[in-house]
Structures are given as structure tokens and as C-alpha cells.
């Protein structure tokens, strides 16, 4: 079975409601794949949050990947880990050794070459960013655009377009070969996470 086409990236600062409430609403809108980012939490709080999100996703067969912390993913029983680009190819291999063959190993890539390297190292999917201009991903240079996404899609590794994705351009990302899109603000920060998730999914099918 392939990965869900919408990967929601958490951001508890984006709305007044508690993060589990936002994720619960997004799941009600059809989300089945969540990346726990929120890197500024201490380890204990992040562990509790991971377990809360796993409990929300489990009844619908959803997946949680923990951003950047292989041991936390293992301890909480998350379905996998999403590694930053700084982890490098060795980080992908170490994560696989720790979490096993069934775990989802994701990787944050910022160039087409990095997609190829992640595939060779055994990643299960990668995000490629920033595809469009976005305030959420400063410091990564200019937007890569759909041409880069199309070039990256020649690899067999499933790629999620990240950066500046909205319900209108999500379909274009799929049309050039992306497996799906990764979204933070478009679901996390709005007044209606359930409706936002449903709109994204409608445009991705």
C-alpha cells in the first residue's frame, strides 16, 4: 500500500487550540499521515505529545513520524522518523538499523541530487522544499519550482512537495509526479483544520 497523499506537519504555535485537537480535526477531515515537528519542546513533553497523536491516528490506521529523533520514535511506538537534511545519508542508514525494516524513514531534501542519495540510502520517502515561496521555510534559497519536482520524480522514491503548498497548487504538484504534498500552515493555522484537510485531499485525488 502506498503512502497517503497528504502529509501534515505539526505546528502547535499556529492556532489557539491545543495541538492534539487540531490533529484530531484534521484526521476527521481525512488525514492519515502526520509528521510531529515542534522541535522546541523538551523531550518529555514531546514524548507525551507523540503518544497523544499516535492514539488519535491509530483507530483510523494512520501513521506518525517523529521529526529528527530516532530514539523517541522507537520509545513511543511511532511508525517512523523524519530526518533533517543535516542527518545525511549515514543518518538514514542508522535510523534503519535502529527502527527496523518496517519503519518509515523520511528525509528532508532541498535539491534533486539529495533525493537520489536518500533513495540509495534506503529512505522510504522524502520531502523536497521549498517548492514555492513560503514564510515557513526561510533560509533555504529561492523556490525550486515545479520543474525541480518533475526532475526529482524520475526517482522511484516517493516525494512530497513542501513549501508554499495550498489547496490550489497541490494538484499541480501531483501532476508533475509528486507522491503527495506536505502541509503545515494550510492545516495547522486555520480556523477549520477538518475542512482544510478535506479540501487538500479533494485536490490530490
Amino acid at each position: 500500500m502506498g503512502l497517503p497523499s497528504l502529509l501534515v506537519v505539526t505546528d502547535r504555535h499556529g492556532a489557539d487550540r491545543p495541538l492534539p485537537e487540531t490533529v484530531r480535526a484534521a484526521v476527521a477531515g481525512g488525514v492519515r499521515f502526520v509528521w510531529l515537528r515542534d522541535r522546541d519542546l523538551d523531550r518529555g513533553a514531546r514524548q507525551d505529545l507523540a503518544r497523544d497523536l499516535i492514539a488519535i491516528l491509530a483507530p483510523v490506521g494512520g501513521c506518525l513520524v517523529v521529526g529528527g529523533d530516532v530514539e523517541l520514535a522507537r520509545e513511543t511506538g511511532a511508525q517512523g522518523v523524519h530526518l533533517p537534511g543535516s542527518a545525511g545519508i549515514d543518518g538514514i542508514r542508522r535510523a534503519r538499523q535502529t527502527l527496523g525494516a518496517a519503519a518509515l524513514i523520511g528525509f528532508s531534501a532541498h535539491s534533486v541530487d539529495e533525493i537520489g542519495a536518500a533513495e540509495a540510502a534506503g529512505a522510504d520517502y522524502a520531502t523536497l522544499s521549498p517548492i514555492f515561496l513560503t514564510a515557513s521555510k526561510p533560509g533555504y534559497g529561492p523556490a525550486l519550482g515545479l520543474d525541480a519536482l518533475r526532475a526529482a520524480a524520475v526517482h522511484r522514491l516517493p516525494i512530497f512537495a513542501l513549501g508554499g503548498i495550498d489547496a490550489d497548487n497541490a494538484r499541480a504538484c501531483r501532476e508533475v509526479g509528486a507522491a503527495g504534498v506536505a502541509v503545515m500552515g494550510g492545516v495547522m493555522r486555520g480556523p477549520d483544520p477538518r475542512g482544510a484537510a478535506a479540501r487538500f485531499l479533494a485536490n490530490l485525488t
Side-chain angles (χ1 to χ4, degrees):
M1 185 179 72
L3 294 169
S5 60
L6 178 60
L7 170 58
V8 170
V9 188
T10 68
D11 174 19
R12 74 188 193 286
H13 301 296
D16 293 334
R17 71 184 81 83
L19 180 58
E21 186 178 321
T22 302
V23 171
R24 188 175 287 108
V27 167
V31 168
R32 299 294 183 265
F33 193 13
V34 176
W35 165 7
L36 173 56
R37 199 164 177 268
D38 289 273
R39 296 174 297 191
D40 58 323
L41 287 170
D42 67 50
R43 200 168 192 282
R46 207 161 179 242
Q47 187 176 63
D48 290 343
L49 185 54
R51 287 179 171 144
D52 287 344
L53 299 187
I54 290 168
I56 292 167
L57 287 159
V60 296
C63 298
L64 181 76
V65 289
V66 175
D69 192 330
V70 175
E71 285 302 319
L72 188 60
R74 184 184 61 79
E75 291 167 7
T76 58
Q79 281 69 40
V81 66
H82 187 101
L83 299 171
S86 59
I89 301 312
D90 287 343
I92 295 172
R93 292 175 177 143
R94 286 195 297 270
R96 180 66 67 202
Q97 289 171 353
T98 300
L99 298 177
L104 280 174
I105 309 294
F107 183 76
S108 290
H110 303 290
S111 72
V112 176
D113 287 346
E114 287 182 332
I115 295 290
E119 179 181 45
D124 293 294
Y125 73 92
T127 55
L128 181 63
S129 68
I131 299 302
F132 304 110
L133 291 175
T134 171
S136 298
K137 300 286 289 183
Y140 287 105
L144 297 172
L146 292 174
D147 285 344
L149 194 55
R150 184 183 290 106
V154 303
H155 295 283
R156 295 178 62 186
L157 186 69
I159 300 163
F160 287 79
L162 172 63
I165 307 297
D166 58 35
D168 294 325
N169 61 33
R171 184 185 298 274
C173 294
R174 287 278 276 179
E175 287 173 349
V176 298
V181 299
V183 177
M184 185 166 64
V187 172
M188 289 282 112
R189 296 173 189 157
D192 180 17
R194 179 175 181 168
R199 285 190 294 276
F200 270 108
L201 287 165
N203 283 349
L204 288 166
T205 54

